[in-house]
Amino acid sequence: MTKKKLYRGILLLLAAGAFTAMASAAGSNEPTSLTADSLSYNTQTGLVTAENNVRMEQGTGHIEGQRATYNIKTQEGTVEGGVHAVRDDMQLSCDRLFAAGQEHWQAIGSVRMVKADRTFTGPQADYYPGQNDRILAASGGTITSADGTFSADHIEGWLKEEHYIGTGNAHLVSPPRDMEGGGDRMDYYGKAEKPYVVLDGSAWVMQANNIARSNHMTVYLADDGTPVTE
């Protein structure tokens, strides 16, 4: 029973690292397994600790690290030491993974997350599922997809809305659209009827040999790949 509770708690971290709404996986009835060189449980504090060569598996998912903890009473858990997690089409690697219940999950140190055709890289990423699947990369990072790359010193976004905000050296490169742009702030609206990007502060957009500059600029991303600037 202790092993199952530990695994279920740590599996939430796997969902957190992917920045996807996978918390329900923690309640899965799929068989679970945990292996480690040592395992301890403090009945007074509720803290379960697994150390050295830790590997947890459930269904199509697994997570590996050198040390994992989960507090059954506080629902806080960590995995650290070369963390590597896989579930379905998601992969995550980082130095440390932390979860405070189901409301705040954090990946720290050399974070690399791959979900479907999108990849995030950066020093830290936080996920708040109760806030419309909000993600926060306070120290910046880069999001890469088939359409190109989006980077900034600070990134915030809401997955359900496909709305992302980059502040500080915001930069967008889209080879399929033959477009590059940047500014002090960049807002991307992916679920709008016509997806578009709003750039503010020393904004610029370049396509082929043409370049436009303004303090405020809106770029609509046409279906044929042609950007339309206002």
Side-chain angles (χ1 to χ4, degrees), residues 34-205:
L34 164 67
T35 59
D37 291 350
S38 66
L39 178 66
S40 64
Y41 174 49
N42 188 319
T43 57
Q44 291 185 332
T45 63
L47 183 66
V48 184
T49 303
E51 294 184 294
N52 299 322
N53 301 312
V54 180
R55 181 180 174 91
M56 290 155 283
E57 299 179 353
Q58 183 183 57
T60 61
H62 72 263
I63 184 167
E64 299 173 336
Q66 289 304 305
R67 188 173 190 271
T69 66
Y70 181 66
N71 192 303
I72 296 173
K73 295 181 179 180
T74 66
Q75 295 187 4
E76 292 183 345
T78 64
V79 182
E80 53 192 324
V83 179
H84 181 66
V86 175
R87 187 171 182 89
D88 299 329
D89 63 347
M90 185 281 295
Q91 295 186 46
L92 164 71
S93 61
C94 62
D95 296 335
R96 185 176 188 269
L97 206 52
F98 167 80
Q102 298 184 23
E103 297 305 317
H104 178 204
W105 300 327
Q106 183 181 78
I108 303 172
S110 303
V111 179
R112 185 176 189 273
M113 293 175 292
V114 180
K115 173 67 175 175
D117 65 342
R118 295 183 182 180
T119 300
F120 169 84
T121 55
Q124 179 175 316
D126 292 71
Y127 174 48
Y128 301 87
Q131 299 178 24
N132 210 16
D133 284 350
R134 173 175 170 247
I135 61 172
L136 175 65
S139 299
T142 300
I143 298 174
T144 304
S145 69
D147 194 48
T149 61
F150 172 76
S151 61
D153 295 341
H154 181 284
I155 297 176
E156 184 175 17
W158 294 265
L159 299 180
K160 290 182 179 179
E161 301 173 2
E162 290 187 26
H163 176 202
Y164 304 97
I165 301 173
T167 54
N169 298 308
H171 187 210
L172 175 68
V173 179
S174 178
R177 303 176 191 276
D178 190 23
M179 184 190 77
E180 183 176 2
D184 297 333
R185 175 187 169 104
M186 186 180 298
D187 284 55
Y188 172 77
Y189 297 85
K191 276 198 171 181
E193 184 177 352
K194 291 183 178 180
Y196 64 98
V197 179
V198 178
L199 301 96
D200 287 291
S202 302
W204 60 275
V205 171

